[in-house]
Amino acid sequence: MEIKILIIDDDPHICELVTLYGEKQGYTIYAEHSGIKGLDRYYELLPDLVILDIMLPELDGWEICQEIRKDYKTPIIMLTGKGESYDKIKGFDLGTDDYLVKPFDPKELMARVKAVLKRSNPHIMSEEIVVLPSFILSNRENKVLTNGKEVIMAPKEMELLHFLASHSNQVFTRQQILDQIWGYDYVGDARTVDVHIKRIREKLGEDHKGWSLRTIRGIGYKFEVPK
């Protein structure tokens, strides 16, 4: 399932940083640098979450938040250079879901994004069951069935397969997979991804209908299903 995140911030560097880390998490990131364009883009996209700076040209973050809250409950994380408790209280009074003071650690922001998404709309993040022809993956039961037969997966194999299958038709680099499954602090060999993919393929077999775990030469991998 595609998760769309809109960041509205007049600092291009912050937008680039959020885009980089967000895409590593498998999100689709859109960025705007002014209040009016940001609000217009919001209505065009109706994203799953908004990362919103307070200090913006044309319309500030408070005004944008008020406009969104007139009709929508989209999760909003506010960004600001101010640390006063007044701003935090005002943000929560307007209906924001979280608040982060600049400068911030992008890893912390991604953790907050994940937590807010889970809290506000659990079905977006869970993808507990992936059902395809001849393939069922139940994350809750830690079970994979292919052609009606249960396949035993090691924990990391299960986590990797679940990540790819729940983001079907999206291509992920080895580094993106490492960041997502092994963590940003992992310092081992990127080839560990190839080893795990090989083991998963061996366990799933080759008689697949309607899906495939594909290698994208020179890039990485994707779990492909018919569109």
Side-chain angles (χ1 to χ4, degrees):
M1 176 184 292
E2 181 186 30
I3 298 176
K4 296 182 291 186
I5 294 177
L6 172 63
I7 175 168
I8 308 174
D9 194 302
D10 60 350
D11 186 334
H13 174 68
I14 289 179
C15 291
E16 289 173 6
L17 199 62
V18 171
T19 299
L20 175 64
Y21 277 79
E23 289 179 347
K24 283 184 177 181
Q25 295 293 319
Y27 306 135
T28 301
I29 309 295
Y30 301 87
E32 291 294 343
H33 305 304
S34 73
I36 290 178
K37 288 184 178 179
L39 190 58
D40 288 344
R41 195 68 181 275
Y42 172 83
Y43 290 125
E44 175 190 335
L45 292 171
L46 293 180
D48 298 297
L49 181 141
V50 177
I51 299 171
L52 180 61
D53 188 23
I54 291 178
M55 303 300 291
L56 289 166
E58 301 170 344
L59 286 176
D60 65 27
W62 305 128
E63 294 171 302
I64 293 173
C65 184
Q66 287 177 312
E67 287 300 313
I68 290 174
R69 282 292 174 262
K70 287 179 181 179
D71 299 296
Y72 298 98
K73 297 181 179 180
T74 306
I76 298 173
I77 297 178
M78 297 292 287
L79 301 178
T80 179
K82 299 178 180 179
E84 291 87 350
S85 60
Y86 168 78
D87 285 339
K88 189 172 183 179
I89 293 170
K90 181 176 180 179
F92 287 135
D93 284 344
L94 289 175
T96 60
D97 296 83
D98 206 346
Y99 182 99
L100 200 56
V101 177
K102 299 178 182 178
F104 56 85
D105 184 340
K107 296 177 187 176
E108 180 183 356
L109 176 60
M110 289 300 108
R112 289 174 182 250
V113 165
K114 188 173 184 179
V116 169
L117 284 170
K118 282 185 174 180
R119 191 165 63 239
S120 63
N121 211 343
H123 80 274
I124 290 179
M125 295 297 292
S126 64
E127 290 288 346
E128 293 287 353
I129 299 178
V130 179
V131 180
L132 298 166
S134 75
F135 179 87
I136 299 175
L137 184 152
S138 174
N139 197 42
R140 180 176 296 175
E141 298 179 5
N142 197 37
K143 181 183 293 185
V144 176
L145 298 175
T146 179
N147 295 317
K149 297 180 181 179
E150 184 174 354
V151 179
I152 304 301
M153 295 280 176
K156 269 289 185 282
E157 294 167 357
M158 183 71 179
E159 192 176 353
L160 173 54
L161 180 59
H162 174 260
F163 173 69
L164 293 174
S166 60
H167 295 86
S168 60
N169 294 323
Q170 293 188 46
V171 178
F172 294 96
T173 66
R174 289 170 179 81
Q175 189 59 52
Q176 286 174 321
I177 293 171
L178 282 173
D179 290 342
Q180 180 66 32
I181 307 302
W182 279 266
Y184 289 98
D185 299 327
Y186 178 76
V187 293
D189 195 326
R191 286 177 295 183
T192 191
V193 175
D194 303 328
V195 172
H196 281 74
I197 291 288
K198 181 180 179 181
R199 290 175 182 166
I200 291 170
R201 283 174 169 157
E202 289 172 351
K203 291 182 178 182
L204 294 178
E206 298 180 355
D207 185 19
H208 307 152
K209 298 177 181 178
W211 60 273
S212 63
L213 184 51
R214 287 194 56 201
T215 299
I216 307 302
R217 188 175 296 277
I219 302 176
Y221 299 96
K222 77 171 176 176
F223 193 95
E224 187 172 77
V225 300
K227 294 184 178 180

